[in-house]
Amino acid sequence: MAMAKGAANDQPGGSAAPQRAAAPGVAEAARPTKFSCKGVWKVFGDGAAALLARHGNAPSAADLAQAGLIGAVRDASLEVGAGEIFIIMGLSGSGKSTLVRCMSRLIEPTAGEIHYEGRDLLKASAREMIELRRHKMGMVFQHFALLPHLTVLGNVAFPLEVQGVGRRTREKRALEVIELVGLAGRERYYPRELSGGQQQRVGIARSLAVEPEIWFLDEPFSALDPLIRREMQDEFLRLQKLLQKTIVFITHDFDEAIRLADRIAIMKDGVIIQLGTPEELVTRPATDYVAEFTRDVPRAKVLTARSVMRPLPDGQARGDRANDYAGEVKIESRIAEIAAQVEASERPFAVVDGAGQVVGELGRDEVIAVLVGRERR
């Protein structure tokens, strides 16, 4: 997959993770691109388009400031693969929510290209975008925005009602997704009769009722208590394992990102400053800002057997199981998931790739080094 464009004109300074829905070890190149952005800008203020044109779509932060303009998104490029959980993260004001709203054209980008299945959405008419949002895109936001006068069933069926789907058909579909999100039996409840976590489940069910191909989620769990939030993350992973949606998910919480993401884009001041897997961001931060952002992340939750395994002994061919291994671990397994079994054995474990071939070894020393923060750099 394509990497983000280079850092901006101004360099920024200074429990076991659950199994994700995407199959571990699948190369990003194997995913067809579902959604992409190229050179996207969103600049607020009068004369924004003219200023971009004068500077060849590459104004500096100083150029924007001198013109009294705000560069909310600056030259953002990314690709999202089919079935991928792609997380955009950053602190408040970094531009992450603005970028996602540009992707769905809830707000209009100032410049750039946004492609969905190869089609440039910036060339689509307003009517075409409405139809795309109704039929192809699902959206879940931090604030649940449930209609208080409708029941759970009415809220979930509402997008289908807007599409003109008949009552019997839309309620049948709504009941299916209500059961899917674990709310069976509460179809006749009103939002005021539900907990925060249950209300968010209704919001998720409503967005799934139209069977979207791409799912945008803007900090959907940030308003929830910590225990409910983790429960909803588990529910989200369960749904993704079943549905395999293409997902763009916004969060400011790196712990949440590493639990959920296939890849992460970190934003600062409207710029994507690094894009990669959670492991890549932690082990190879591109800037001091990324390093600080990831500094306190428990390495065992992020590092995989791939990054800490030792080479096969001299004379042992790739794929050879001649050694007396205690067992096998997958190359994409996170250390936190396998630490107990590896540490308890005096013999090493074979590390196997997606084809089942032995490609390295993992023993007690390597695991302990990660757990105590002494892993190889």
Side-chain angles (χ1 to χ4, degrees):
M1 305 295 288
M3 292 296 290
K5 281 199 174 186
N9 305 311
D10 319 298
Q11 280 288 339
S15 103
Q19 190 73 20
R20 296 191 305 280
V26 175
E28 289 301 328
R31 298 181 189 268
T33 298
K34 189 77 169 179
F35 202 96
S36 66
C37 299
K38 183 178 180 181
V40 171
W41 287 80
K42 180 58 185 177
V43 180
F44 291 100
D46 293 336
L51 180 130
L52 286 174
R54 285 199 304 274
H55 291 275
N57 279 355
S60 67
D63 294 329
L64 293 168
Q66 187 175 11
L69 302 176
I70 298 172
V73 176
R74 299 163 55 195
D75 202 20
S77 296
L78 56 84
E79 293 181 348
V80 183
E84 180 177 16
I85 301 177
F86 187 97
I87 286 187
I88 303 173
M89 66 176 306
L91 301 179
S92 179
S94 62
K96 55 190 186 296
S97 293
T98 302
L99 177 56
V100 165
R101 282 161 173 74
C102 286
M103 288 179 174
S104 56
R105 280 189 62 192
L106 290 175
I107 61 175
E108 291 293 330
T110 309
E113 300 176 13
I114 297 173
H115 290 269
Y116 171 67
E117 294 186 329
R119 176 187 181 189
D120 190 351
L121 296 187
L122 299 188
K123 296 179 181 177
S125 68
R127 170 55 56 185
E128 289 171 327
M129 285 306 307
I130 289 172
E131 291 303 304
L132 276 171
R133 294 190 200 105
R134 284 180 177 176
H135 298 278
K136 302 289 187 181
M137 297 178 180
M139 301 181 191
V140 181
F141 299 102
Q142 177 178 349
H143 302 291
F144 313 138
L146 303 182
L147 300 173
H149 64 289
L150 295 182
T151 62
V152 169
L153 180 61
N155 269 283
V156 174
F158 184 71
L160 298 173
E161 184 178 355
V162 171
Q163 289 182 9
V165 177
R167 180 171 181 175
R168 179 176 297 180
T169 301
R170 70 177 183 255
E171 290 191 351
K172 179 177 183 293
R173 172 61 184 161
L175 288 170
E176 290 172 355
V177 292
I178 287 169
E179 182 176 4
L180 185 67
V181 301
L183 288 177
R186 292 182 169 83
E187 298 85 356
R188 302 299 173 185
Y189 285 41
Y190 287 90
R192 64 180 177 275
E193 299 172 314
L194 302 174
S195 69
Q198 290 169 339
Q199 289 181 29
Q200 191 61 299
R201 287 173 189 252
V202 177
I204 289 171
R206 181 177 58 189
S207 72
L208 290 174
V210 299
E211 301 182 89
E213 294 185 10
I214 186 162
W215 205 11
F216 296 109
L217 299 101
D218 189 352
E219 303 211 48
F221 310 140
S222 62
L224 302 177
D225 292 335
L227 289 178
I228 299 175
R229 182 172 186 162
R230 188 169 184 88
E231 177 184 306
M232 290 305 301
Q233 291 168 358
D234 291 339
E235 181 72 6
F236 174 78
L237 290 170
R238 182 185 71 82
L239 290 172
Q240 175 63 352
K241 189 172 183 179
L242 290 171
L243 303 175
Q244 290 292 291
K245 297 295 182 184
T246 301
I247 295 171
V248 178
F249 188 111
I250 291 178
T251 183
H252 63 269
D253 183 343
F254 198 76
D255 284 338
E256 180 169 72
I258 63 175
R259 280 197 92 211
L260 304 180
D262 292 307
R263 290 186 303 145
I264 299 170
I266 294 183
M267 294 189 71
K268 182 177 186 289
D269 299 332
V271 179
I272 297 175
I273 56 176
Q274 189 169 359
L275 190 162
T277 66
E279 186 172 22
E280 289 168 345
L281 297 181
V282 169
T283 59
R284 298 190 296 278
T287 68
D288 290 342
Y289 179 78
V290 176
E292 181 63 22
F293 215 95
T294 62
R295 181 169 57 89
D296 294 326
V297 175
R299 268 32 185 179
K301 290 185 177 181
V302 179
L303 297 182
T304 63
R306 179 195 302 274
S307 64
V308 299
M309 68 183 183
R310 59 180 183 247
L312 294 171
D314 291 342
Q316 181 177 340
R318 180 186 175 98
D320 185 4
R321 284 175 168 75
N323 273 14
D324 186 18
Y325 291 121
E328 294 180 354
V329 294
K330 294 179 180 178
I331 195 168
E332 295 296 336
S333 296
R334 287 179 176 168
I335 298 304
E337 299 167 350
I338 59 177
Q341 60 177 318
V342 176
E343 192 279 330
S345 174
E346 294 184 359
R347 290 178 292 152
F349 279 67
V351 179
V352 298
D353 62 14
Q357 286 202 327
V358 179
V359 295
E361 296 181 346
L362 186 67
R364 176 185 292 171
D365 290 347
E366 288 79 23
V367 167
I368 292 175
V370 173
L371 295 177
V372 301
R374 208 172 51 231
E375 75 273 7
R376 294 193 306 269
R377 299 289 180 176

